[in-house]
Amino acid sequence: MITAVYPGSFDPVTLGHYDIIKRASKLFDKLVIGVLVNSSKKSPLFSMDERVIMLRDTVSSLGNVTVESFDGLLLDFVKKQDSHIIVRGLRAMGDFDIELQMAQSNRVVAPDIDTVFLSTAAEYSYLSSSMVKEYAMYGASVEEFVPANVLPMVKEKIHLMKVN
Ligand code: PNS
């Protein structure tokens, strides 16, 4: 039974993430999506609970995929899941430096845990959660960028931000 972990901030989950999730779920017996509670990035738009709910809803049709939150070191979360595989998507060269650095440093700390990279589908190679938030904030439609179940949640969150 091979379990892999797909970690990220998922603020919010995009169609690019979803594509990686679907493909990774076919490669491994079980895929655990790890939603990072606290990122060094600026404060998230969606709370951790909201991001987990969104993802659980998004992957509800995929029988071998679960969603958990984690805090602290990714490697500790991977071990807790009885896994030795981290899945990451690679969009373009911009991702490569940071992803290679993370994968290599993680292997220094935990040599038994490997990172497997999946190339992002070409049609989503430009897509990021930050971009989705920026477009949504300025009133543009983001329906081409996020799973259909996530769209109303993005709209509502932006609406609430604007009225508060
Ligand atoms: O979606 P993101 O924000 O690009 O995901 C980044 C993530 C969650 C994979 C990375 O920040 C992470 O692993 N954070 C947990 C803390 C950790 O283990 N740090 C050491 C490796 S940089």
Side-chain angles (χ1 to χ4, degrees), residues 6-11 17 34-41 70-76 86-88 91 95 98-99 101-103 105-106 109 129:
Y6 179 40
S9 306
F10 304 107
D11 184 40
H17 294 130
V35 183
L36 180 65
V37 175
N38 288 317
S39 163
S40 52
K41 293 176 181 176
F70 77 99
D71 207 353
L73 270 190
L74 169 60
L75 293 174
D76 291 335
I86 298 167
V87 173
R88 293 287 285 169
R91 288 171 299 194
D95 282 346
I98 180 76
E99 292 297 337
Q101 197 181 25
M102 276 202 290
S105 57
N106 277 335
V109 180
S129 297

Side-chain angles (χ1 to χ4, degrees), residues 57-77:
D57 195 29
T58 303
V59 304
S60 59
S61 64
L62 304 172
N64 63 340
V65 180
T66 57
V67 183
E68 305 292 338
S69 60
F70 77 99
D71 207 353
L73 270 190
L74 169 60
L75 293 174
D76 291 335
F77 178 70

Side-chain angles (χ1 to χ4, degrees), residues 96-161:
F96 187 75
D97 281 351
I98 180 76
E99 292 297 337
L100 187 65
Q101 197 181 25
M102 276 202 290
Q104 289 179 329
S105 57
N106 277 335
R107 282 208 68 239
V108 171
V109 180
D112 293 342
I113 297 181
D114 258 305
T115 302
V116 171
F117 294 109
L118 294 184
S119 56
T120 298
E123 66 262 44
Y124 304 130
S125 59
Y126 61 88
L127 188 52
S128 69
S129 297
S130 312
M131 200 199 77
V132 169
K133 286 182 276 192
E134 181 121 353
Y135 275 115
M137 208 78 82
Y138 290 109
S141 164
V142 294
E143 66 178 330
E144 304 290 332
F145 304 148
V146 296
N149 66 297
V150 171
L151 191 59
M153 301 186 212
V154 173
K155 282 183 180 164
E156 190 193 344
K157 177 63 86 175
I158 299 292
H159 173 72
L160 287 174
M161 276 185 64

